[in-house]
Amino acid sequence: MSKRIKGMIIDEIRERIGAHRDLLVLDCSKLDGVTSNRLRLALRKQSIGALGVPNSLARRALSDAGVTGLDGILEGPSTLVFGGEDIVSLSKEIAKWAKDIADLEIKGGTVEGTALSGADVEKLSKSPSRLELISQIAGQLLSPGANLAAALLGPGAKLASQIEKIAEKQEEGGPPEGEAAA
């Protein structure tokens, strides 16, 4: 292959990956054509790209794009997978497919420049996604206020109304209940 052709392929890989820096690497070489197409179409519906690449050209394209950590993983047949909401949702989707398709192998990936093994990707797929973490944090932040509101609306509401009545009587100048006027 000429240098010009290799340069065009490297440019195409960089263009396809775009701004994605968190990637997974799969071995899809054992899949039949129908299964491979079914996988790619399902991933495309979720805005996940899959790109079969020559390893040497992928290394150069990824290096130029600033993606590191995949050099040891890019051995043998490789398919780069990228996209989705975040790396956790991407790993969840790929792990689900790997469970359904026995011949699909997760070789590893990279997250913020850190290399992941196939087992690390499996662990990552079991962690909460970005949206789940945000909702958990929001729930924990709102929890004290919800507890206070529940206490004020429950038995504490009667106490609050009694305190309010006593305060109103004191403002009017009358003695509090239970005390005689002097």
Side-chain angles (χ1 to χ4, degrees):
M1 194 179 323
S2 71
K3 285 185 180 184
R4 184 171 186 196
I5 302 287
K6 287 180 183 179
M8 291 170 59
I9 293 173
I10 290 170
D11 291 341
E12 179 67 21
I13 293 171
R14 256 185 295 175
E15 184 179 317
R16 285 260 192 94
I17 292 173
H20 299 286
R21 298 295 171 255
D22 298 335
L23 307 165
L24 299 180
V25 181
L26 307 177
D27 180 359
C28 299
S29 64
K30 298 175 187 170
L31 301 181
D32 60 79
V34 173
T35 305
S36 179
N37 282 339
R38 195 179 83 219
L39 171 66
R40 287 175 184 272
L41 287 173
L43 294 177
R44 188 179 301 156
K45 286 180 183 176
Q46 296 185 2
S47 301
I48 298 173
L51 181 62
V53 294
N55 292 329
S56 61
L57 299 179
R59 278 190 204 97
R60 287 164 84 190
L62 293 172
S63 174
D64 292 348
V67 178
T68 58
L70 288 177
D71 290 342
I73 298 169
L74 287 171
E75 299 292 331
S78 299
T79 301
L80 297 178
V81 182
F82 51 91
E85 290 179 19
D86 57 4
I87 189 66
V88 175
S89 62
L90 176 64
S91 64
K92 283 182 181 193
E93 185 65 25
I94 296 302
K96 181 185 82 166
W97 279 97
K99 192 181 297 182
D100 293 343
I101 303 171
D103 292 335
L104 182 64
E105 177 190 350
I106 301 173
K107 295 170 71 173
T110 181
V111 176
E112 297 178 4
T114 304
L116 301 174
S117 67
D120 292 337
V121 173
E122 287 289 330
K123 288 178 189 174
L124 184 63
S125 71
K126 293 179 175 105
S127 63
S129 70
R130 181 177 178 271
L131 291 176
E132 291 169 342
L133 283 174
I134 289 171
S135 67
Q136 288 175 1
I137 291 170
Q140 289 176 354
L141 289 174
L142 296 174
S143 175
N147 291 340
L148 178 62
L152 291 176
L153 294 175
K158 290 181 181 178
L159 177 63
S161 68
Q162 291 299 320
I163 292 172
E164 188 176 327
K165 286 179 185 177
I166 292 171
E168 286 175 2
K169 282 188 179 184
Q170 284 181 347
E171 286 177 5
E172 292 174 1
E177 286 184 24
E179 289 187 21

